[in-house]
Each structure stands twice: as C-alpha cells, then as structure tokens.
Amino acid sequence: MRNYMELSKVKFFISYFLFSITCIYAQTDPMLYQRWNIMDINKVRTQFNNTGLLCDGNQQNIPLAKPPAFEYPNGSGLSYGTSISVVIGAPGLQDTGAVGGENPTFLEYLDGTMDEGSAAFWDEEHFAPYPEIVGSSNATLSTDHNTWPQPWPSTIPGTNQPLIVGPEGWPGIGEGGSIIADQETYSVMYAWKGTDVGNTGRRWLKTNMEMRGFAWTGQLYQDFIIWMYVIRNIGSAPIVDMRVGIHSDFGYLPIFMPPNPWGDDDRHYYDPVLQFAYGSDDDFYEPNPTGGSLGEGLIAWSGTLALRMPGPTKKVQTYDAFHFWMEATTPRGNGASKELYFRYNLSNSGDPHDSNNDGIDDDFNENGIPDDQEGGPGYYLGLGADGLQVLGSGPFTLNPGESDTLIFATVFGMSKNQLYKNARNALVLYNSGFKPVKAPEPPKVEVVPSDGKNILYWSLDSESDPEFEGYKIYRSADNGLSWGSQTFNDFEGGIHFVPLVQADKVDGIKGNYRTLPEFAWFYLGDDTGLPPIKVIDNDSLLFFKRGDTVRVFVDDNVINGLNYRYYIAAYDSGNGITGPLENTPATKPQNGTNTVQAVPHAPVSYGSLSQVKVVPNPYIVANGWEQGDERQIQFTHLPLKATIRILNSAGDLVKTIYHEQSNSIAPSIAKWDLKNENQQLVAPGLYFFHVESAEGSASGKFIIIL
C-alpha cells in the first residue's frame, strides 16, 4: 500500500510539474495559437494569419515562405506578396496605464503584425491571438465551418462588448451580424512584447485589434480583397499622438522563385487623390518559375488602397517609400528598430524625398521640388525587389475603451489601367456600404464525359433575375489559365475571352450594349434563344436528381483523353448604373458550381480488349496533342482494372502501369509520361505493350519519335 501511495505521489508531482511547465510555456509563448488559412474565392489568393499578417513571402529565408502570398491570378502560381501588415506606434512619453514593458529612456513605441522574415523588421510579432477565436488548426474562415470556434465567445475578447453572431453562424458586420462578402475572415489579437523575448527594451502599447478580410466574386470585385482592423485601447490611460500605418511590401516577383530570390528593381508610386500606393516590376522582365520568362502584360501590378484611416481626418497623412536594407537607420531608409521605424517610416520625418516636410514623399530625385512640378521620376525605385511603402495616419489620441478603424484594399491588375479600374471598383464598393452590384446568380453545372463529347447540364436559377439576358459557355484546355483561343480588349485594356457558345433570350436585346459608352464592348447576343430544357428522368447524374429541370449543351468538338474545363456565365442586360455583368468562374471546378471539368473517353471494355490502342501512335514530341508541358501517351478502351507492361524492341521491360479507375484520368484511360522505372525519359524507337485483366488480354506496338 505504501509503495502504491509513494508511486501515486511521484505521478502527481510529475504531472503537476509538466502541467506547470506547459502553463508557463503557454504564458510566455501565446504564438502557440497562431493559425494560418487561405483566402481563395476570387482572382486574388493569399495566406493570412490570425495575428494580422496578410502574406509571408519571407525574403529572409525563402524555404520558410508560405505560398500563396498574394498569388495573382488565382491558379497562376505567381505570388507577389512579401509582407502586408499593420503597424501601430506612438511617442515614448506615455502614461504607464497605456503601455506595457520597460521604457526608461522614453523611446517611441511601434507594434507591427509582421515578422522578421517577411518584413525585415527586427522586432517581430507584436500581436498574439486570443485563444477564444481559435477553432481548429486553421485560422477562421466563413466558408469553412470546421475553423469556427465552438461556441463563439459571447464578447469580443479583451473587452466587455458583445460579439454578435449572425444568422449564418458567423460574426459579420452586416445587419444582425450577417455576412456581407462571399468569403470573410475574423480574428482578434492583442499587443504584447513580441517573440524576440531575448532582447532588452521590451515595450508595447496596450491595444487589441479585430481583423476582418472580405472577398467577393463577380466581374467588378474579383481583383481585390478588403481588410478591416478595429484598433482598441485596452489600457487604463489614453494613448497620446498614436499613429497607425499599412506596411505594404509587394515583391513583383520572384517570390518563391529560385535560383535568384531577390529579383531586379521595382517601381513604387503614390496617388494622393486616390490614396493609393502601388507599383510593378521596373523593366517588366522576370524569370518564369515554370520555364522561360515573363514580360510586360504577364507581370501584375498591385497596390494598397487606403479606404479609411484612423484619426480625425480619416485620410492618409504620411506616405514613405523606402528600401528594406539600403540606408537603414537613416531618414531615407528602413528604421528597422521600433523607434526608428516610428520616426522614419510611420511619421516620415526628415526624409529627403519629402520636398515640403508634409509627410508625403514626392521628390524622388531629391532636388527640393515635387516631381510632378518639374518632371522628376514620380516613383521610388526599389533595387533588387526590396522597396516597400507605408501609408500612415496622422497623430490622434485613443482613450481607454475607445476604438478606431483602419480599412484598406489590396488590389491587382495586369496593367496600370486595369489596376486603377479595379481600385476604383473597390472604392465604389466601400462607398456603397459594401453593397455589391452583381450579375445573375451563377448557374449550378454538372458535366458528364462521354465518347467524343462532354454533356453539360445546368440549373435555371440565373433566369429568375429580372435583368437576366443569356448564357456564355467558356472552355479551357489549360486548367483555367485561359478560356478560349480568341480574346479582345475593352477600352481600358482589360482582356476578355470570346466564349465557345453564347445563347441569349429572344427579346430584341442584342448586339453591343449602348447605354453607357464605357461598356460598348460588351456583346449581348443575337436573339438566338436559350439552350433546350430537359427534365431529368433517371438517377444517373451525381448532382442533379430525377425531376430536376435543367438546360443542356453538348460539346462534341473534343478529343478523347484531354482534360477540358468549362464555366457557364449568366449575364444581364445592364441596369444603367453599371453595364452588363456576367458571372466569373468558380476558383475550384466542382459539380454544383458554375465551373466543372471532364475528360471525354471511350467506353470501358468488357469481355474483350480488342479495342485497346495507343494514342497518339506514332508519338511525335511537341505535336500539340498534350496539354501543358507534360509528355504523355494514352492507352484507351481499357477495362476498369488492368496491368500494362511496356517493352522496348529488345524485349526489355521498360515500365509497368497498374491501371485502376481511382488512379486514372478516366475509367478507360491510362497515361504514360514516357519515363522508365528510373524516371528517365525513354529513347525514340519501337515499343510493345501487353495488357492483362480479368476481361482478357491485348498486345500491340507503338512508335516514339523525339
């Protein structure tokens, strides 16, 4: 009994010790609750975290970067973000109730949501997440219920203010807590000493922030994400002469692109009327991560549009463009430390690029005259892709319990004109109170692949819109990078694809749109009538059920074995406020969205393999049959399960392929990438194949010509 009691005591003390260590560690490292997720519902795709950082291109250590970091367009694999984050600062002389840590020499405060790797800011991660909002291993996202905390806290963490959860189960900012965007984020974080715990002079302002991201689909809204930060004083004394800024660092390639992680020079511009800090690559030439190079028209423009700044004016009061390592610790460069960042970048004091000391950089040749008055460059040149920009508020006082709001948009376009157009669309949406003007509801689509054709079925949901005019069917052979072989430009340089098929109502509305001149490029159709209606009379479909009413289109101009992606856009006739609008494709092809994909194929073989063959035969490299850069031949008319052995002319086994429906692009197709078991490309010549299955066997030969 004594031994058992002694053992129990030992176990208790060990458990208590481990629990204590865990508690101490959790107390000293609140970043254990840091979570990441991806916004991906429109053409701008990015990682973000629940401590306020919107991307991590990690220019200090590329292997630690987190793609996508503002990938644009979605699916391109090209990321432009290094670090987009928020900074909050104030002069060093503050009441002790407004600040934490130690500051015996009254140096300035600067808390940033960036970390060192992504931002070259040497005092990192000054905001930590409240665990009450952490619901899973990913940051909360409105479109993923698995990330939501269960339950949501009744009050906003760090405050006694109620957290209003709307009818969708999400704490939105719409009426009654409703969701306003197609995809939203929500997190709450608080300022602390940061993760550089070994340094001296740890100090911070007693604030917390509610962070939200908003993304919309649709023609007018697909090229930007809007971000909102509600900044609150949770101390017991006012924060005096506080400033808030947007740290905006777009790399303009080559983020995640070896062998050169730095790239060449980038240009950075500021439009004070629009409050828009933006830029692009200096010479419009960069290496392409998939091979070759990118030129003008293929390298994106991007920028940060300030919609609402904290402070009494609600406007941008300072703008600083600088290099993250050149001339650091000088007014011209990156302050790096908290106090110098506050002076040089957020307050923009003493910068020779500021001609009149009003806080706005406007003189990049440093001759004392604004560039726009004497023909100066009008932009800041960041050498080696390391330039960045800060948009700052003016000074203001935030009393205990008070809050102020920062709202900005991260905007993209493939040209300067497109970028400006998209920025204005973001501004219009903000000024409308986030009330988007959209095309008719997207149709729900299902595709059925068949022999030499793909059959599209879609719902009639779009047609309930009173301004509905018709459908456009687009087809892609490159997984959505392009939507057809023919394009045209609108009046602002925007590129549009000519649809595979356009079908519109017979109502006399046809030809080019005429009401608003800027939309005169939009073609309304030829009164061709809508595709035929069918009532589903069987249970063979996956999404649609027996009795559903759908429209049908058969694409019989396809090649068996190739992958085709489709999206069906419903469009309207325009409403006089804006021109005609049409749906944009869903970012992920899936039956039940307006975007689907399929591989047409011959029927599966049963009882005999006499139809099995190799396509193409002979195989000639670069014959245009494949899609993308992949070399492949296909074995067609296969049964559901088979073993394929490929031999060279000497009879040596080159490759064995185990075909099953679950690992193939289609039930009757197996593909081969022309590589042997050692992943080496085979030599040109004559090859033989032998197919074995429960349905029988087949043999044949084919030729490879390289």
Side-chain angles (χ1 to χ4, degrees):
M1 182 70 176
R2 179 179 297 174
N3 290 339
Y4 175 78
M5 292 179 64
E6 293 296 328
L7 181 62
S8 298
K9 289 179 181 179
V10 170
K11 287 183 176 179
F12 171 78
F13 283 118
I14 290 174
S15 299
Y16 181 78
F17 175 76
L18 292 175
F19 175 76
S20 300
I21 291 296
T22 301
C23 290
I24 292 170
Y25 182 62
Q27 290 171 1
T28 58
D29 187 14
M31 302 306 282
L32 289 171
Y33 295 103
Q34 185 182 68
R35 299 291 187 269
W36 292 82
N37 211 330
I38 297 175
M39 295 197 80
D40 62 355
I41 205 165
N42 63 20
K43 288 177 69 175
V44 182
R45 181 170 177 259
T46 189
Q47 291 258 12
F48 69 94
N49 71 21
N50 63 352
T51 64
L53 184 60
L54 305 185
C55 67
D56 187 353
N58 211 315
Q59 61 194 1
Q60 302 301 301
N61 193 335
I62 295 298
L64 296 181
K66 293 181 172 63
F70 285 104
E71 177 187 57
Y72 181 84
N74 189 339
S76 68
L78 301 177
S79 284
Y80 293 88
T82 301
S83 175
I84 311 300
S85 40
V86 171
V87 290
I88 300 174
L93 191 59
Q94 302 286 335
D95 189 289
T96 56
V99 298
E102 300 177 355
N103 191 8
T105 57
F106 303 108
L107 294 172
E108 293 90 339
Y109 292 84
L110 196 289
D111 302 321
T113 66
M114 57 277 206
D115 67 21
E116 180 178 319
S118 70
F121 178 65
W122 314 133
D123 194 9
E124 56 185 330
E125 293 178 331
H126 268 251
F127 286 90
Y130 287 97
E132 298 97 308
I133 304 295
V134 177
S136 74
S137 59
N138 294 316
T140 55
L141 199 62
S142 64
T143 50
D144 184 357
H145 292 201
N146 294 324
T147 64
W148 300 4
Q150 299 295 332
W152 291 96
S154 58
T155 59
I156 299 169
T159 79
N160 58 6
Q161 299 182 22
L163 179 63
I164 301 174
V165 178
E168 301 95 343
W170 176 264
I173 63 169
E175 184 176 357
S178 60
I179 289 173
I180 65 165
D182 295 313
Q183 190 174 56
E184 300 187 7
T185 75
Y186 181 74
S187 56
V188 189
M189 61 212 72
Y190 61 93
W192 71 305
K193 62 185 177 181
T195 52
D196 286 343
V197 292
N199 292 353
T200 57
R202 310 307 302 162
R203 61 187 188 276
W204 64 95
L205 300 169
K206 290 183 177 179
T207 63
N208 76 2
M209 294 194 297
E210 287 181 89
M211 167 190 157
R212 300 175 186 268
F214 305 99
W216 292 262
T217 59
Q219 275 180 287
L220 300 179
Y221 316 115
Q222 64 180 338
D223 299 284
F224 58 81
I225 301 175
I226 290 179
W227 307 92
M228 175 185 292
Y229 290 76
V230 177
I231 301 156
R232 185 174 288 106
N233 181 345
I234 57 173
S236 59
I239 303 174
V240 180
D241 289 337
M242 177 179 183
R243 292 176 183 261
V244 175
I246 310 162
H247 176 104
S248 180
D249 188 354
F250 291 106
Y252 305 115
L253 303 178
I255 305 299
F256 321 128
M257 291 173 57
N260 177 10
W262 303 106
D264 60 8
D265 306 344
D266 298 327
R267 295 187 183 188
H268 302 78
Y269 300 84
Y270 179 58
D271 184 329
V273 176
L274 203 55
Q275 300 189 128
F276 191 29
Y278 65 96
S280 191
D281 184 70
D282 182 52
D283 61 1
F284 292 102
Y285 177 84
E286 290 285 1
N288 190 326
T290 61
S293 61
L294 300 168
E296 190 164 6
L298 299 175
I299 300 173
W301 290 67
S302 66
T304 304
L305 177 71
L307 298 168
R308 184 190 195 276
M309 298 297 291
T313 69
K314 312 305 180 191
K315 300 291 185 181
V316 171
Q317 298 295 306
T318 62
Y319 166 73
D320 186 31
F322 57 98
H323 200 279
F324 93 79
W325 61 266
M326 288 179 62
E327 301 177 296
T329 71
T330 72
R332 185 185 281 108
N334 176 18
S337 68
K338 296 186 289 290
E339 60 271 15
L340 294 184
Y341 191 107
F342 179 83
R343 297 173 204 169
Y344 297 156
N345 306 136
L346 186 55
S347 302
N348 199 22
S349 299
D351 193 331
H353 294 150
D354 180 4
S355 66
N356 57 3
N357 295 314
D358 66 350
I360 304 292
D361 282 1
D362 59 359
D363 177 22
F364 295 108
N365 59 6
E366 301 184 27
N367 65 357
I369 305 172
D371 287 355
D372 62 0
Q373 294 182 18
E374 52 89 30
Y379 60 84
Y380 177 78
L381 188 64
L383 303 180
D386 297 322
L388 60 143
Q389 301 162 295
V390 173
L391 294 170
S393 74
F396 64 100
T397 295
L398 198 64
N399 291 310
E402 287 185 346
S403 65
D404 210 334
T405 302
L406 168 69
I407 305 174
F408 62 93
T410 45
V411 189
F412 286 80
M414 294 311 298
S415 69
K416 185 175 179 179
N417 284 342
Q418 282 186 31
L419 180 73
Y420 261 77
K421 178 181 178 180
N422 297 333
R424 292 189 184 101
N425 286 339
L427 181 60
V428 169
L429 179 61
Y430 168 72
N431 288 334
S432 74
F434 300 114
K435 294 183 173 72
V437 179
K438 288 199 171 187
E441 182 178 348
K444 299 176 178 64
V445 184
E446 180 170 351
V447 61
V448 177
S450 188
D451 189 5
K453 59 185 176 183
N454 288 321
I455 307 171
L456 297 168
Y457 302 91
W458 69 93
S459 65
L460 278 60
D461 303 337
S462 313
E463 298 173 34
S464 61
D465 189 300
E467 293 164 356
F468 168 80
E469 182 59 25
Y471 297 104
K472 296 179 182 179
I473 301 175
Y474 295 90
R475 185 180 73 186
S476 173
D478 55 13
N479 294 317
L481 293 180
S482 61
W483 291 100
S485 58
Q486 294 180 291
T487 63
F488 65 93
N489 287 45
D490 61 29
F491 303 136
E492 294 179 306
I495 299 174
H496 303 269
F497 290 95
V498 176
L500 179 69
V501 172
Q502 182 168 356
D504 65 312
K505 293 193 302 184
V506 180
D507 57 2
I509 299 175
K510 57 184 180 179
N512 288 84
Y513 179 78
R514 300 177 182 177
T515 305
L516 299 173
E518 61 268 33
F519 286 92
W521 54 268
F522 195 102
Y523 196 68
L524 293 164
D526 296 308
D527 271 3
T528 56
L530 300 175
I533 283 180
K534 175 182 175 62
V535 178
I536 304 299
D537 58 3
N538 58 59
D539 297 317
S540 63
L541 299 180
L542 298 175
F543 181 78
F544 292 110
K545 307 302 181 186
R546 185 190 297 265
D548 287 345
T549 301
V550 297
R551 294 198 180 274
V552 184
F553 171 75
V554 179
D555 181 13
D556 55 9
N557 186 24
V558 296
I559 299 173
N560 278 358
L562 297 189
N563 182 53
Y564 295 92
R565 186 176 294 191
Y566 300 87
Y567 89 86
I568 300 181
Y571 66 93
D572 60 27
S573 57
N575 58 15
I577 300 174
T578 185
L581 298 176
E582 64 181 65
N583 308 133
T584 51
T587 55
K588 298 176 182 177
Q590 181 180 347
N591 284 333
T593 70
N594 76 333
T595 306
V596 293
Q597 65 184 21
V599 177
H601 57 271
V604 172
S605 290
Y606 293 100
S608 169
L609 302 190
S610 61
Q611 298 297 312
V612 171
K613 63 180 181 178
V614 171
V615 177
N617 187 10
Y619 171 86
I620 302 174
V621 69
N623 64 2
W625 186 81
E626 302 107 323
Q627 293 171 309
D629 298 326
E630 179 185 17
R631 292 181 177 181
Q632 64 165 287
I633 65 171
Q634 294 182 353
F635 298 88
T636 67
H637 291 83
L638 293 173
L640 292 176
K641 189 173 182 179
T643 299
I644 306 165
R645 292 180 174 87
I646 302 168
L647 302 94
N648 61 22
S649 58
D652 301 321
L653 181 64
V654 174
K655 182 75 175 181
T656 301
I657 300 172
Y658 300 98
H659 166 71
E660 292 186 17
Q661 184 176 3
S662 61
N663 63 13
S664 301
I665 60 173
S668 65
I669 296 175
K671 65 179 183 178
W672 179 41
D673 61 4
L674 276 67
K675 294 179 181 178
N676 61 22
E677 298 290 4
N678 296 322
Q679 294 301 302
Q680 298 169 323
L681 278 173
V682 299
L686 177 67
Y687 289 82
F688 299 90
F689 69 88
H690 182 74
V691 181
E692 290 182 355
S693 77
E695 305 296 331
S697 62
S699 299
K701 59 186 177 181
F702 59 94
I703 297 173
I704 297 176
I705 302 173
L706 297 180

